[in-house]
Amino acid sequence: MKNRTLSILRGAACSSAALLLSLTSQLTAAEALQLMPYPAKVEHAEGVYQFPETAVISQGATRLNLETIAGLKLTPGENPQVLLLKAKDDTFPKSVTSPERHQIQVTPKGVAIRAAEEVGYYRALQTLAQMVATTGGKLPLATVTDYPRFEWRGFMLDESRHFTGKDALKKILDEMAAHKMNRFHWHLTDSQGWRIEIKKYPKLTTVGAIGNNTNPKAPAEFYTQEEIKEIVAYAKARHITIVPEIDMPGHAAAAVRAYPEFSGGGSKRHPDFTFNPASKETETFLLDILKEVAQLFPDAKVIHFGGDESHFGWEKWPQLPAVKALMKEKGYKDLHQVEHDFNRRMAKHINDLGFTVGGWDEISRVGLDKKKTLLFWWRHNKPAELDYALKNGYQVVLCPRIPCYFDFVQHKTHKIGRRWGSAFVPLDAVYAYPDSQKQIAGKEHLIKGVQANLWTEQTPTQRRREFMIFPRLHAIASAGWVQKENKDYERFLSYMNYRLPVMQQTGLHHASIDQPNQETAKDGKVVERK
């Protein structure tokens, strides 16, 4: 029955959510319950509960930002049809300690939700919203027990190369929240543009925010500190933590255009690519920036400082007086040691501000405190770096280019985007991750989670960006949440055939599952590829 329904949904008539709702009336209650990410355990009973168009929920739900849960009309009051209860000792397996754990019981009289913490109730209500939407409110009697496989389920958006802006960003955050993602990694600075206002150094935005990857003279685009606070609050209401990234010592050209006195130089291909890694004045400049960032993201817990690809700027380092002095003072023989010295100093500043240091996997060999460092493994062609990090007890977020970089093409016919030899990033490969990563066997306790990254060189329009993000973002959401034994790609596709038309109605563009050879070009137009 599942395959038959899926084939129907993939037909040309699948243009709106209404089609799915009509089909569910033909299915049994168990078959009609489509959820994504799929829960840890679903137990069915006979019967159906008709969920009211507007339901009364326990008074305690007033803290849950109910307006952020799309499509579910809930009013706190007496005699609730949705009852919030404290989880019992035996509600979840003893090994499950995630604050996001929750249980939903649908009975003939209503819905009871049990959770240990506020975020658990919120995740449960997102599941309930899916249940109501995909069944037309005819809820199968069932008990859904759920909790995430990984703590970190993230998405990184590069806003330096092309700017997104708060309205489009909020739509992405909404879709993340609806599918239980909980980390938004905000890549705010890079060589193409500086996108965050820093009060102490105004030229970072008046000068550094000018240009993008398409047009180096484009008018300045950036987020004011008030806009940053607004977006941070918006995400927090949806139980998403925003983690800022301020790149250093490389990827610094936008900042040093504004303040050239802090430049460490670069090469012909990457001019002014780095900050001066040995200058005390540069260190003070960066610490001042980090202090303002820390105030803007008080709940981030992690500040990501990049640390990658600094070697692109090494051509000029040996000529810098501060570098010469540092090497002489410390007895350093090569520029790796200079880079590591810089990273250790900046990591200590971040730790002293009360944050864990986040960095790309290049920082794994710097000698940072493993209890205060989070590594992001991105170089899929360097599995030894992942092995090294895990062997040395570092916690790791898995985000390798293959299959977690969404700037790679997603179908063999597509012309725009990256490839790694013959490899690219199709939807099914994202969904299957990280079980294809053999090194994590026996080391899952060190895997903080998974994350997808969109670098925006080739996505100048928001329509193009959304095409590259969706539905692969739903696949990474499932990769991070769904228990390994519950992975079912066909079931995932069945849900997506409901969700994609709903997204379209809210103004979110996406790639087509039924016609994967369609590619949205840089200008936002859809092109048929062969």
Side-chain angles (χ1 to χ4, degrees):
M1 175 66 78
K2 179 175 66 176
N3 291 335
R4 181 176 67 83
T5 304
L6 181 59
S7 65
I8 295 172
L9 288 171
R10 285 180 175 172
C14 183
S15 59
S16 72
L19 176 60
L20 182 76
L21 298 181
S22 66
L23 285 172
T24 56
S25 63
Q26 304 171 29
L27 305 177
T28 68
E31 289 172 318
L33 192 58
Q34 298 196 55
L35 300 172
M36 201 292 286
Y38 199 75
K41 186 177 182 181
V42 180
E43 300 168 280
H44 292 285
E46 290 297 323
V48 171
Y49 170 69
Q50 180 61 58
F51 196 81
E53 184 174 341
T54 299
V56 177
I57 188 171
S58 298
Q59 292 280 10
T62 53
R63 302 188 309 275
L64 293 177
N65 297 293
L66 297 174
E67 68 277 5
T68 68
I69 303 168
L72 200 58
K73 297 179 181 179
L74 299 170
T75 303
E78 297 180 358
N79 302 316
Q81 288 109 1
V82 180
L83 188 62
L84 303 185
L85 302 170
K86 195 69 176 176
K88 300 176 182 177
D89 291 340
D90 61 350
T91 302
F92 309 101
K94 289 184 178 181
S95 59
V96 176
T97 59
S98 168
E100 298 176 279
R101 62 194 187 276
H102 59 269
Q103 185 181 79
I104 305 169
Q105 287 183 305
V106 183
T107 73
K109 296 182 178 181
V111 178
I113 294 175
R114 289 182 172 83
E117 299 185 28
E118 182 177 307
V119 64
Y121 294 114
Y122 188 82
R123 300 286 185 239
L125 289 171
Q126 295 288 3
T127 299
L128 181 59
Q130 287 186 15
M131 293 168 70
V132 171
T134 58
T135 63
K138 295 180 179 180
L139 303 186
L141 303 189
T143 299
V144 176
T145 305
D146 207 4
Y147 41 86
R149 180 178 179 185
F150 295 110
E151 177 186 342
W152 186 292
R153 304 174 306 280
F155 173 57
M156 188 222 75
L157 178 63
D158 162 29
E159 295 228 45
S160 174
R161 291 165 176 84
H162 287 106
F163 188 73
T164 289
K166 68 176 184 179
D167 292 339
L169 177 54
K170 286 179 178 179
K171 289 184 178 181
I172 295 172
L173 291 170
D174 284 342
E175 198 65 18
M176 290 175 63
H179 297 93
K180 302 183 176 65
M181 298 186 74
N182 65 350
R183 295 293 194 284
F184 177 64
H185 175 170
W186 210 356
H187 190 82
L188 288 162
T189 76
D190 212 304
S191 289
Q192 289 79 1
W194 186 279
R195 307 301 181 198
I196 176 173
E197 178 188 24
I198 301 297
K199 299 285 189 182
K200 192 165 186 176
Y201 299 103
K203 287 193 292 184
L204 285 171
T205 46
T206 59
V207 177
I210 293 173
N212 57 45
N213 202 72
T214 299
N215 178 8
K217 296 183 179 180
E221 291 183 294
F222 63 94
Y223 293 97
T224 67
Q225 292 202 358
E226 288 306 308
E227 288 173 323
I228 294 280
K229 292 174 184 176
E230 177 187 340
I231 294 167
V232 167
Y234 190 90
K236 185 176 181 179
R238 289 153 180 77
H239 291 275
I240 295 172
T241 300
I242 298 185
V243 174
E245 181 179 355
I246 307 297
D247 249 334
M248 59 183 79
H251 295 276
V256 301
R257 282 199 302 271
Y259 293 94
E261 62 268 34
F262 302 123
S263 176
S267 61
K268 287 184 179 180
R269 186 177 179 185
H270 302 282
D272 290 313
F273 187 75
T274 65
F275 293 112
N276 188 323
S279 161
K280 295 297 183 183
E281 293 77 15
T282 301
E283 185 174 343
T284 299
F285 168 71
L286 292 171
L287 178 55
D288 288 340
I289 290 170
L290 289 171
K291 286 178 179 177
E292 290 197 31
V293 170
Q295 291 175 350
L296 290 169
F297 299 90
D299 300 321
K301 297 184 180 179
V302 177
I303 292 178
H304 197 297
F305 78 146
D308 64 312
E309 299 181 325
S310 299
H311 62 278
F312 289 150
W314 282 4
E315 186 176 313
K316 299 295 183 183
W317 282 13
Q319 304 168 25
L320 300 175
V323 171
K324 291 179 181 179
L326 178 68
M327 294 183 76
K328 182 177 181 180
E329 176 191 350
K330 299 285 184 76
Y332 292 157
K333 302 300 182 184
D334 62 48
L335 296 179
H336 280 290
Q337 293 172 301
V338 174
E339 179 185 331
H340 292 180
D341 186 279
F342 170 89
N343 285 339
R344 284 192 293 270
R345 283 182 279 118
M346 298 314 301
K348 184 178 186 306
H349 288 313
I350 292 172
N351 291 155
D352 288 347
L353 288 168
F355 293 81
T356 293
V357 172
W360 303 111
D361 59 54
E362 283 94 330
I363 71 167
S364 64
R365 298 174 188 267
V366 172
L368 302 182
D369 187 339
K370 64 184 180 184
K371 294 181 180 178
K372 299 179 180 180
T373 303
L374 182 61
L375 299 180
F376 291 70
W377 180 66
W378 68 279
R379 293 181 292 177
H380 75 284
N381 59 319
K382 293 183 180 291
E385 296 303 313
L386 176 59
D387 290 336
Y388 180 87
L390 296 175
K391 181 180 178 180
N392 286 275
Y394 284 101
Q395 285 202 309
V396 177
V397 172
L398 300 171
C399 53
R401 282 172 294 210
I402 304 295
C404 294
Y405 270 31
F406 288 180
D407 53 325
F408 278 71
V409 301
Q410 49 197 312
H411 190 258
K412 62 183 179 180
T413 62
H414 292 181
K415 307 296 184 184
I416 308 167
R418 298 173 64 191
R419 297 173 187 262
W420 192 270
S422 61
F424 52 98
V425 179
L427 182 64
D428 59 346
V430 181
Y431 183 84
Y433 199 72
D435 299 306
S436 54
Q437 202 69 56
K438 303 304 181 185
Q439 293 106 309
I440 72 172
K443 297 288 181 66
E444 277 208 19
H445 64 287
L446 291 172
I447 303 302
K448 188 80 166 178
V450 295
Q451 176 174 293
N453 300 333
L454 177 64
W455 304 99
T456 59
E457 286 96 333
Q458 300 190 61
T459 58
T461 60
Q462 185 59 24
R463 188 171 165 85
R464 164 78 180 164
R465 285 190 285 274
E466 290 170 2
F467 165 79
M468 298 298 278
I469 294 170
F470 301 113
R472 289 189 291 187
L473 192 71
H474 300 89
I476 202 72
S478 286
W481 184 280
V482 178
Q483 303 302 313
K484 181 178 180 179
E485 61 273 16
N486 286 344
K487 286 283 191 75
D488 185 328
Y489 186 60
E490 290 300 306
R491 182 167 57 202
F492 167 78
L493 290 179
S494 181
Y495 173 82
M496 290 314 304
N497 275 298
Y498 151 72
R499 187 68 189 181
L500 294 181
V502 173
M503 288 173 56
Q504 199 78 33
Q505 291 170 8
T506 65
L508 276 175
H509 188 53
H510 57 81
S512 172
I513 292 176
D514 299 324
Q515 297 175 289
N517 61 310
Q518 289 184 345
E519 182 174 23
T520 299
K522 291 182 180 181
D523 61 4
K525 295 180 181 177
V526 177
V527 181
E528 296 280 347
R529 302 297 191 190
K530 294 182 179 180

